[in-house]
Amino acid sequence: LSSLVFAEYIHMVTPVTRRFAAIALAAFSTSLYLGVAASAYQVQPLTYFLTPTGPKSQTRLTVINTDATQLDAELAVFSVDVDVDGKRAFTPADDQFLIFPPQASIKPGAAQSFQVRYIGDPAITQGRIYVVRVKQLNINYVEREVKPGTTSRVAIMLNFNTTAVVQPVKAHDDVAIVSNLTPLAGKDAKSVGFVATVANSGDAVADLSALKWRLLRDGKSEDLEIMKLKFGETSMLAPGAQRRIVLDGALGQGAQLQLASAG
């Protein structure tokens, strides 16, 4: 048996711990194959903030090949639009960045640095969200015995998405809650959750996971663990955008969501 698994490791900015979320784009993929893919290489950093001009308009991405075989990789850039539920849409934007080298072959145990430099509009007045994707060009093969006498051979390719935010030096975000916690429509709110809507009226991209959130219940305010909130595929909120935030479980019963800086 022979199959191809295309795995994409997407940097989910939501958790404070900056975890990865693995998405297998094939129904037959398993945690075993994804685990093997995850060990193939690493990328650092996963999130970075750049300015439109000057020395801070560039950074370096380091790709570390932790596999036993050569890694062939290339970098591609996409501008990102995010809807109110946090779902991302990608548009090719290679003309907005200079990547050097654009491709590289990395030996086992070695690391390769890529220079990532913003060369788009130097006079932008608001923050913008991009993804710089590290794409594996060669294929890793994994074999395992699915039953006596039958071996499954799977070809795995792995991509990493890193988040690049470009914004003016003096830009500031301004996040406010515009619609507070209500039960999720058509769901059992006690077990599924509640939803609130926030808006960013500032000119900088806001990282919702970096803000301090609280719950107000019976006149008392309590800190809220960031892991209890779901921001969708990214916690980055663009200027002028809104986001529906989901609160897990029954925590929102009889409560209001607050930003620690508000009131």
Side-chain angles (χ1 to χ4, degrees):
L1 298 177
S2 182
S3 305
L4 172 65
V5 171
F6 174 81
E8 184 161 273
Y9 264 60
I10 300 176
H11 179 216
M12 304 292 282
V13 189
T14 311
V16 174
T17 52
R18 306 296 188 187
R19 295 182 305 172
F20 299 133
I23 297 181
L25 304 183
F28 54 77
S29 62
T30 68
S31 59
L32 168 65
Y33 299 137
L34 287 175
V36 173
S39 66
Y41 67 98
Q42 301 172 0
V43 180
Q44 301 171 347
L46 292 173
T47 301
Y48 36 98
F49 290 79
L50 306 175
T51 57
T53 59
K56 293 185 178 180
S57 64
Q58 60 185 341
T59 191
R60 288 187 179 273
L61 285 185
T62 301
V63 178
I64 306 169
N65 183 6
T66 56
D67 200 17
T69 59
Q70 177 175 294
L71 169 67
D72 298 328
E74 72 174 5
L75 272 60
V77 183
F78 301 85
S79 62
V80 180
D81 293 309
V82 188
D83 69 13
V84 70
D85 292 312
K87 184 177 181 180
R88 297 183 295 182
F90 301 91
T91 302
D94 289 311
D95 60 337
Q96 301 292 298
F97 284 76
L98 177 65
I99 307 291
F100 183 81
Q103 297 181 352
S105 294
I106 309 171
K107 295 180 180 181
Q112 171 70 49
S113 290
F114 295 84
Q115 180 175 300
V116 177
R117 184 176 186 178
Y118 175 74
I119 57 171
D121 184 359
I124 60 173
T125 58
Q126 293 185 327
R128 299 179 179 180
I129 305 171
Y130 294 90
V131 155
V132 177
R133 178 174 296 164
V134 181
K135 181 180 179 181
Q136 181 178 344
L137 299 177
N138 56 332
I139 297 176
N140 289 340
Y141 292 95
V142 178
E143 292 187 359
R144 72 164 186 162
E145 188 176 44
V146 294
K147 61 181 180 179
T150 303
T151 299
S152 175
R153 187 169 187 260
V154 177
I156 298 177
M157 298 181 69
L158 177 67
N159 291 349
F160 272 89
N161 284 347
T162 71
T163 300
V165 174
V166 181
Q167 54 196 18
V169 175
K170 296 183 179 181
H172 297 281
D173 61 69
D174 187 4
V175 178
I177 299 169
V178 296
S179 176
N180 221 297
L181 294 173
T182 57
L184 284 169
K187 303 291 186 180
D188 177 6
K190 290 185 178 180
S191 60
V192 178
F194 291 74
V195 62
T197 302
V198 299
N200 179 11
S201 59
D203 53 7
V205 174
D207 182 356
L208 299 177
S209 71
L211 303 179
K212 293 186 180 299
W213 300 90
R214 291 177 178 168
L215 284 179
L216 178 64
R217 192 193 325 268
D218 298 328
K220 297 181 180 180
S221 181
E222 59 187 79
D223 291 336
L224 181 61
E225 293 181 23
I226 197 66
M227 298 297 292
K228 300 295 184 181
L229 295 173
K230 296 179 180 178
F231 304 113
E233 294 180 358
T234 176
S235 64
M236 295 299 180
L237 182 62
Q242 293 191 354
R243 180 72 49 79
R244 281 196 283 262
I245 300 175
V246 176
L247 176 62
D248 280 346
L251 283 173
Q253 191 73 41
Q256 295 288 297
L257 188 65
Q258 289 184 321
L259 281 168
S261 58

